[in-house]
Amino acid sequence: PPTAPFPISAHPPGWLLKMATLLLVALTLLTHSTAGAGDAPQSIDDLASHYSDIFRTGNRNAASHLWTAYVLSHSASLKPAKIEMLFRGFCPISGSPLPDSPHTRYGSKLADVSGGYHSGITHHCCWPCICDLQSSVKTDTKTVQTADGQREYHFLVIGDPCAHPEKLDNGFKDPFSGTMVTLQDEAPEVQCDAATGRLKGAVYSDHGYPIIGMYFVGDEDSGPFNKASDLDEQCTERKEHGFNSGMGAIFLKVAGISPLHTPGLPAPVGLAEEVEPPQSPVRHWSPAAAMALAAAVCSGVALAVMWLRRGRLHRPCGREHESSDLEQMTDAPCE
């Protein structure tokens, strides 16, 4: 008689037990890792351990508005110093978790949405992010409720991409692979709320812009930092080469959907013309391949959650892609 793809006689009961065990371990670890999801984070490592709670798709590209919302949702129970510490724990451009160390500190001068400029510090995973920051990000204020009362902060803001939600489906050329992609593919956490027409999950500034991080105005004296002006030549070269480092064009595309215009300052330069995305091929899986994939996913989830809970999985700088997290466990800046 013909042989079935997975004949029962070929697999002893232990095979099914192993599959069931893998599923149970993965579910147990996931449940355990989210048990304290409602508690206010007390350290940068604690904040990073909630990565999977904040980014449900596992992709944080250009989605630091969700880090911001998570921290501010706990602000009423946190001292101002702790709120500021937590905002040093992620890159506002890439969304990558960060250590609070000198190599992540960059000094810059940014325009305010209401006019004028501020000088301060931002924290980044790699130097290309400071290029994107200076070209597409501005500052605005918001009053935050802290454990010590209300406090006004300067925040980093972009124009709301959900002013034109259809542009999230527009195609553009990925500078790394040369293939056509969309923001829905590359930044799946950038989603629009159909009911409000606003960026889903975002906290908005005093003038109505999505907040992606904190701007530490006057923080230059608190420690060493990299000067953004020293990277002007590198930023120019990166642009000439099609933004082939850091986040590539992902953040610039998100921020460029509805670019901010500051009174009395020149409008930001537009990005490359957008083109229609290609149709993605449909994959068909055989039962055998599907079962093998399920086992691999369960094992991968269990390992990833275990690493996250131990605080040892440091997502690399630059954009998030399929194999980066497990291949590059490093806090070193991008080159």
Side-chain angles (χ1 to χ4, degrees), residues 88 100-109 119-124 127 130 133-134 215-231:
R88 295 185 177 96
D100 184 8
S101 62
H103 81 262
T104 71
R105 289 167 46 87
Y106 289 80
S108 63
K109 186 177 182 180
S119 295
I121 296 292
T122 50
H123 292 253
H124 301 287
W127 68 263
I130 196 66
L133 178 94
Q134 293 187 106
Y215 195 49
F216 296 90
V217 174
D219 199 40
E220 294 91 339
D221 295 334
S222 66
F225 61 90
N226 305 288
K227 292 183 179 180
S229 58
D230 292 343
L231 296 166

Side-chain angles (χ1 to χ4, degrees), residues 15 28 44 87 180 182 208 215 225 260:
W15 179 85
T28 301
I44 287 177
F87 270 102
M180 295 301 297
T182 70
Y215 195 49
F225 61 90
L260 293 178

Side-chain angles (χ1 to χ4, degrees), residues 75 102 118 178 203 251-252 287 300 326:
S75 65
H118 297 290
V203 175
F251 179 83
L252 294 174
L326 296 179

Side-chain angles (χ1 to χ4, degrees), residues 4 78 83 108-109 130 147 156 200 204 215 273 329:
L78 297 170
I83 294 172
S108 63
K109 186 177 182 180
I130 196 66
L156 303 167
K200 189 175 182 180
Y204 284 72
Y215 195 49
E273 183 179 355
M329 294 181 189

Side-chain angles (χ1 to χ4, degrees), residues 7-281:
I8 298 301
S9 60
H11 300 283
W15 179 85
L16 292 175
L17 179 61
K18 185 176 181 180
M19 283 291 294
T21 302
L22 284 171
L23 285 168
L24 181 60
V25 169
L27 290 172
T28 301
L29 285 170
L30 282 171
T31 302
H32 187 54
S33 68
T34 58
D39 299 332
Q42 299 299 314
S43 67
I44 287 177
D45 284 345
D46 193 9
L47 177 64
S49 73
H50 291 286
Y51 184 96
S52 60
D53 303 320
I54 299 168
F55 303 102
R56 296 295 184 175
T57 66
N59 187 313
R60 42 71 181 168
N61 285 344
S64 286
H65 61 284
L66 297 179
W67 283 120
T68 295
Y70 188 80
V71 174
L72 293 183
S73 70
H74 295 287
S75 65
S77 63
L78 297 170
K79 297 282 189 180
K82 186 153 289 185
I83 294 172
E84 295 161 19
M85 174 196 68
L86 293 173
F87 270 102
R88 295 185 177 96
F90 61 91
C91 175
I93 303 300
S94 71
S96 178
L98 298 175
D100 184 8
S101 62
H103 81 262
T104 71
R105 289 167 46 87
Y106 289 80
S108 63
K109 186 177 182 180
L110 297 179
D112 190 272
V113 295
S114 58
Y117 291 88
H118 297 290
S119 295
I121 296 292
T122 50
H123 292 253
H124 301 287
C125 54
C126 51
W127 68 263
C129 288
I130 196 66
C131 307
D132 293 351
L133 178 94
Q134 293 187 106
S135 68
S136 303
V137 178
K138 291 181 171 50
T139 67
D140 197 6
T141 54
K142 185 173 182 65
T143 299
V144 174
Q145 182 65 47
T146 77
D148 291 342
Q150 293 189 336
R151 178 164 299 197
E152 184 181 74
Y153 285 105
H154 292 275
F155 287 102
L156 303 167
V157 297
I158 59 172
D160 195 338
C162 294
H164 302 284
E166 71 282 357
K167 292 190 176 182
L168 295 174
D169 291 316
N170 287 354
F172 62 96
K173 189 175 182 178
D174 175 36
F176 301 98
S177 67
T179 60
M180 295 301 297
V181 295
T182 70
L183 289 175
Q184 292 280 20
D185 300 325
E186 300 295 282
E189 293 286 359
V190 178
Q191 303 172 12
C192 298
D193 189 320
T196 64
R198 290 181 142 197
L199 182 60
K200 189 175 182 180
V203 175
Y204 284 72
S205 65
D206 286 339
H207 289 88
Y209 300 108
I211 298 173
I212 62 170
M214 183 174 285
Y215 195 49
F216 296 90
V217 174
D219 199 40
E220 294 91 339
D221 295 334
S222 66
F225 61 90
N226 305 288
K227 292 183 179 180
S229 58
D230 292 343
L231 296 166
D232 287 348
E233 184 176 345
Q234 288 175 257
C235 290
T236 300
E237 291 178 357
R238 174 175 176 261
K239 182 177 180 180
E240 292 173 349
H241 287 86
F243 306 104
N244 60 350
S245 60
M247 283 291 288
I250 298 172
F251 179 83
L252 294 174
K253 287 290 185 181
V254 171
I257 289 176
S258 181
L260 293 178
H261 298 270
T262 300
L265 297 176
V269 178
L271 296 174
E273 183 179 355
E274 295 172 333
V275 297
E276 290 299 317
Q279 295 295 320
S280 299

